[in-house]
Amino acid sequence: MDKELQVLLSQQWSNGACRGYAIWAMENCGFSFDDIQRVVSELHYVFDFKAIDEADEHYRNSPY
């Protein structure tokens, strides 16, 4: 395994960092303040009620 991948895999999961990435992506795509607020609020909900493996599966099965 290369050194960069080892560093990435050793980093701790952070819901806040994930929200930050999502906010950046939405800002870069021109989403409105209200839409970003709605998505961030929904992220709080899904982080509380969905496990990481469920989210991974949902991503892998999505058209995105």
Side-chain angles (χ1 to χ4, degrees):
M1 190 178 315
D2 73 18
K3 202 174 223 176
E4 286 182 43
L5 183 56
Q6 285 178 330
V7 169
L8 287 174
L9 292 175
S10 69
Q11 293 178 349
Q12 186 176 8
W13 170 262
S14 165
N15 290 354
C18 182
R19 287 183 193 102
Y21 282 123
I23 290 167
W24 262 327
M26 290 183 287
E27 289 172 341
N28 291 345
C29 290
F31 282 52
S32 71
F33 176 88
D34 289 339
D35 287 340
I36 293 172
Q37 185 63 47
R38 285 180 37 228
V39 170
V40 170
S41 293
E42 186 63 19
L43 282 172
H44 282 279
Y45 172 80
V46 295
F47 284 152
D48 287 343
F49 293 101
K50 300 293 182 180
I52 292 172
D53 58 330
E54 290 176 294
D56 182 58
E57 181 179 351
H58 188 71
Y59 171 70
R60 285 185 283 109
N61 292 325
S62 75
Y64 312 107

